[in-house]
Amino acid sequence: MDHTRPELAEIFPGSSEMSRLMRAHDWAQTPLGSPESWPEGLKIPLRMLLTSRFEMWLGWGDDLCFFYNDAYIPTLGIKHPAMLGRPFREVWAEVYADVADQVDKVRSGAATWNDALLLLLERSGFPEETYHSFSYSPLFGAKGRVEGLLCIVTEVTERVITQRRLESLRMLGMELVAAPSREAVCHAARTVLAQNRRDFPFALIYLGGEGDWRGIASTDDAAQLLDHPWPLEAGATGRIVGLPADLSCPAGAWDRPPREAVVVAIAGAVEGAPAGYLVLGLNPCRRRDVEVMDLARLLAGQISGALASVAALATERRRADRIWSHSRDLLVTITADGIFRSVSPSWTRILGHAPDGVVGRHYSEFLAPEDGAASASALQQAATGQDLTAFENRFRTADGDVRCISWHTAMEDGLVYAYGRDVTEQKASAEALALAEEALRHAQKMEAVGHLTGGIAHDFNNLLTGITGSLDMIRRRRGQDPAADIERYLAVVSASASRAASLTQRLLAFSRRQPLDPKPVEVMQLILGMADLIRRSIGELIAFDIQPAPGLWRAQCDPNQLESAILNLAINARDAMPDGGRLVICAGNLSVDERERLRHRLATPGDYVRIAVSDTGHGMSPEVMAKAFDPFFTTKPIGKGTGLGLSMIYGFAQQSGGAVGIESPPGGGTTLSLYLPRSTRASEAPTAPEPDGWIATGPRGATVLVVEDEAAVRALVIEALTEVGFTTIEAADGPAALDILRSRQVIDLLLTDVGLPGLNGRQVADAGRSLRPGLKVLFVTGYAHDAAVGNGELEPGMELITKPFAIDRLVARVEAILTAAEPPAPPEATAAV
């Protein structure tokens, strides 16, 4: 045939291999005859086939004369190109019986579809396992009769075999994950390998060591192969061996037995020493692929990992058994209703009870009766999955003693697992330590009290010497000459008394019992107002700087005490810089969280105003800083300081709800920081200073009820008030004062001591105000206890004056209170309070 004819190029278009072969083929020698005479029903699909990249073939005529394109050549294998134009029955004679019924169905005019159909194709010289997804479609001739068949096919052999092998690996992994023993591992491997008899028609598993291998077969028909002398040691890295022709091997899923097997080692825990071997019969219809060796190694690796896990689990079990047997703690499992299921041998050592005598009994039989309710509640908590931590109860020993046990629990599989530690001696040691610490604290407290009282006694003895000596001199001079000048002795007495009053105020400040008048304070305004005083106090050698802070919060504190504290800090800084230096006072806002609260030793988190006084002096050593706030502690020479300055500031800060801090890096000077709580109240107008000197006259007709249990003080106050024009009524205690308040007697002011015996001054004032609304009250106190004055907050119309006081100052305060408002009306009738 002249294959260069133009009409052939039209029938067999393109330059593909099959187009050229078809143009060169002698079709006249076939039942189809010359291509020019072929019907369009053949030519049209033939052109589509030759120009498509999909695997396609078609058959035409009664014998289905075979045409195929280039994409189908690999499927034909060694049958290409001889099968061109041959009958379909001859082309695939080995599988025609598998599709004959479908060919008949197509001849009747119906199409067919197959998904991943197994076909054993002899395209490589042997029956090869292949899988194809394909459709058969009828081709119609000119008279509407089926003249041919079109097949569009996709070979899916790789996908099907890969999925099957991955499924075997997945199933083996799932089966092995919970295998608790070597036997379970072998059973899992046997089960999975028995389900994949296409890749491995038979499987043998050998476990053991040092030449002593014990095997099992995956299926019963392979059991006779266990005694075959397999070259196991030669298969350490994997080896394919031929099977003797006379060896009867199971065929598995095929119609013929395997010709080869693979031997691969199962790695052991010790490097170089296998735990066993796999012998796997190989698919007789397989292609020559290296993946089967990889699959065998992966299967052996999974079995090896499972055997290693079993060995590790056995080791852990032995370790757990040793822990259980030798534990110094009590180990138990117990049900939710309190029955012991197991107990460790340590019960005998700690409690004297044999484990056999404990298991099966209720825990309460061994428990101290006093701990029954708490233990029942704890067990209920543990049984609901809320693990106990350091729960303590007491168990009775076989000898009748009691041991304290600290329990920890975990819940699993309906049982409470617990371990208990005997803390009896530990608790006894802790109690002994607590007693020793308490004794030490008491000794330290007594030492501190001794130091404090010694300092007080020293200072007061000096002051009393000045007072008593001056009084003695007054008596002697008056005895010698009634007109003698005694003014200088009176001056000494007054000065000594003032110093004693200052000393008591400092002690009260340290003890946080001084009377305070807290109010909102503009801190920077207060500091700037003290600037001249501070400059005069520190001298010209020291540079002084105040650093204003914009937006500074108001502080809630007693402004007078704050001034005293700042001045005291400035003087301390001056003394630390005898050769001159620099003093800086600054202030700022500080919001304190819980972590910062602990660092600054503040009582609560919140907003604070920080006032810092810094100097460039010699600084403080850690030892000095540790004692800086102790009363009477001073590093100044004798006679240069009392040692109460910083302790007074410390007490003032604590009583105000703040704190004091010291920073003093070596050679870097000292910064003392005063932390005061932020005020949320509006600023108050400054009160007018009390006038100096004696108030000669009081409001005409004003009546003051004086309540004081100390007769000498009461008499002095009454005399002073009467002398300047006040009318006075006196009461020695609270009940007597209440009787007067219940009467119809006009009372303009209640002046009462706070520390009255029985009914205190605050209680008297509250009762008086319930009887006489708006009653003015002036409290007199040596110190202000929170319960007496309302935690530092006085109600309107109430004021406070502290002992000792000058008479003119007392009279001035009475005058100021009485002129502030009209006196209250007396009660309508007597009433009990």
Side-chain angles (χ1 to χ4, degrees), residues 747-750 765 768-777 795-798 817 821-825:
I747 298 174
D748 299 288
L749 172 68
L750 171 64
R769 283 202 160 188
S770 68
L771 294 167
R772 301 168 180 261
L775 177 65
K776 297 292 184 179
V777 180
E795 298 173 11
M798 290 184 175
I817 295 174
E822 292 297 323

Side-chain angles (χ1 to χ4, degrees), residues 550-791:
L552 187 66
W553 296 327
R554 291 186 299 272
Q556 184 72 13
C557 66
D558 186 322
N560 295 325
Q561 294 297 331
L562 178 57
E563 285 184 349
S564 176
I566 293 174
L567 182 60
N568 203 321
L569 292 176
I571 293 172
N572 281 352
R574 176 203 66 190
D575 294 342
M577 299 182 287
D579 299 324
R582 186 165 182 258
L583 172 66
V584 177
I585 300 179
C586 61
N589 300 329
L590 183 67
S591 293
V592 176
D593 57 18
E594 182 61 27
R595 183 175 60 85
E596 290 291 307
R597 179 192 73 80
L598 296 174
R599 188 167 73 89
H600 294 299
R601 299 182 180 180
L602 292 162
T604 58
D607 292 338
Y608 292 85
V609 176
R610 174 179 178 261
I611 305 164
V613 178
S614 303
D615 64 58
T616 57
H618 48 69
M620 296 186 189
S621 67
E623 294 77 16
V624 170
M625 280 196 290
K627 297 181 179 180
F629 298 119
D630 291 354
F632 297 105
F633 175 78
T634 181
T635 58
K636 298 176 182 179
I638 295 176
K640 296 294 185 180
T642 63
L644 286 172
L646 287 181
S647 63
M648 179 193 74
I649 296 170
Y650 176 85
F652 160 65
Q654 292 286 315
Q655 191 175 352
S656 300
V660 184
I662 303 178
E663 298 175 52
S664 186
T670 301
T671 297
L672 265 135
S673 298
L674 185 61
Y675 300 91
L676 296 172
R678 177 186 183 181
S679 175
T680 56
R681 294 163 48 189
S683 296
E684 298 179 4
T687 57
E690 296 174 358
D692 295 331
W694 192 279
I695 299 296
T697 59
R700 189 174 300 277
T703 301
V704 180
L705 172 57
V706 179
V707 187
E708 170 61 65
D709 61 315
E710 185 65 43
V713 176
R714 186 172 68 247
L716 181 63
V717 171
I718 289 174
E719 182 178 351
L721 293 178
T722 303
E723 186 171 336
V724 296
F726 292 107
T727 301
T728 59
I729 306 172
E730 63 178 294
D733 54 30
L738 285 181
D739 289 340
I740 298 171
L741 289 167
R742 292 191 190 103
S743 71
R744 296 188 59 81
Q745 173 71 48
V746 174
I747 298 174
D748 299 288
L749 172 68
L750 171 64
L751 190 155
T752 177
D753 184 34
V754 173
L756 296 173
L759 200 64
N760 66 43
R762 181 56 190 254
Q763 292 169 323
V764 172
D766 290 341
R769 283 202 160 188
S770 68
L771 294 167
R772 301 168 180 261
L775 177 65
K776 297 292 184 179
V777 180
L778 177 60
F779 290 112
V780 180
T781 182
Y783 69 90
H785 194 278
D786 289 346
V789 297
N791 199 25

Side-chain angles (χ1 to χ4, degrees), residues 476-490:
R476 294 173 63 183
R477 288 297 177 91
R478 280 295 175 92
Q480 297 170 359
D481 180 6
D485 181 13
I486 59 172
E487 189 61 34
R488 63 192 181 96
Y489 299 114
L490 291 175

Side-chain angles (χ1 to χ4, degrees), residues 504-505 508-509 511-518 558 655 753-755 762 779-794 799-803:
T504 56
Q505 286 300 309
L508 287 172
S511 65
R512 288 167 282 173
R513 293 296 183 88
Q514 66 176 333
L516 297 179
D517 184 16
D558 186 322
Q655 191 175 352
D753 184 34
V754 173
R762 181 56 190 254
F779 290 112
V780 180
T781 182
Y783 69 90
H785 194 278
D786 289 346
V789 297
N791 199 25
E793 299 289 341
L794 293 176
E799 293 194 20
L800 182 73
I801 188 170
T802 59
K803 298 177 183 177

Side-chain angles (χ1 to χ4, degrees), residues 398-471:
D399 296 334
D401 293 334
V402 173
R403 309 295 294 180
C404 184
I405 310 297
S406 176
W407 293 100
H408 300 258
T409 68
M411 182 72 177
E412 186 176 342
D413 298 330
L415 286 175
V416 175
Y417 290 77
Y419 73 89
R421 177 157 296 176
D422 184 359
V423 294
T424 307
E425 282 76 16
Q426 179 181 338
K427 289 180 70 67
S429 298
E431 291 174 1
L433 178 61
L435 290 174
E437 289 176 345
E438 180 61 28
L440 176 60
R441 281 194 295 270
H442 182 70
Q444 291 174 332
K445 185 188 300 183
M446 294 308 295
E447 180 183 359
V449 169
H451 183 67
L452 176 62
T453 55
I456 295 172
H458 175 270
D459 281 10
F460 267 98
N461 282 335
N462 287 339
L463 297 172
L464 289 173
T465 299
I467 293 172
T468 58
S470 296
L471 292 175

